[in-house]
């Protein structure tokens, strides 16, 4: 995994998984099982979400750069 989370955030994610499993399946799971779920998500699901975030950021940057380019062209002075 190339993204590292502070222990406090990781602990919160583990707690969220434990609560989700309990709410959905009525079963309590321990920290190790929840951490295994979290590791699975990091390795198999998170890359899809991350890549979509990168695509979204790329689109925003392209839009902003396009606006800058238009602004720069509007500053040009006519040459006779």
């Amino acid at each position: 995994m190339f993204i590292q989370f502070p222990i406090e955030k990781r602990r919160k994610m583990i707690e969220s998984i434990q609560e989700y499993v309990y709410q959905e399946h009525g079963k309590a799971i321990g920290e190790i099982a929840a951490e295994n779920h979290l590791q699975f998500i990091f390795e198999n699901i998170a890359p899809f979400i991350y890549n979509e975030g990168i695509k979204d950021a790329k689109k925003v940057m392209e839009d902003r750069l396009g606006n800058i380019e238009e602004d720069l062209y509007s500053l040009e002075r006519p040459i006779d």
Side-chain angles (χ1 to χ4, degrees):
M1 175 178 65
F2 57 93
I3 297 175
Q4 296 295 323
F5 291 97
I7 190 69
E8 303 83 29
K9 288 184 179 181
R10 194 172 177 90
R11 194 170 286 136
K12 180 66 178 159
M13 288 184 263
I14 289 169
E15 289 172 5
S16 294
I17 290 170
Q18 288 174 305
E19 185 171 329
Y20 173 79
V21 171
Y22 183 77
Q23 293 294 325
E24 290 296 314
H25 303 287
K27 295 180 181 180
I29 63 171
E31 283 187 38
I32 293 173
E35 185 146 5
N36 288 339
H37 281 74
L38 183 60
Q39 191 63 35
F40 173 82
I41 292 167
F42 282 158
E43 292 173 2
N44 297 286
I45 297 169
F48 291 101
I49 297 167
Y50 179 85
N51 289 344
E52 287 303 312
I54 294 296
K55 286 179 189 175
D56 290 348
K58 182 177 181 264
K59 174 74 171 119
V60 168
M61 291 302 298
E62 287 171 348
D63 290 346
R64 290 200 177 164
L65 288 174
N67 290 340
I68 291 171
E69 188 175 353
E70 290 172 12
D71 291 345
L72 289 172
Y73 282 128
S74 72
L75 296 174
E76 285 185 348
R77 301 287 184 231
I79 300 173
D80 294 326

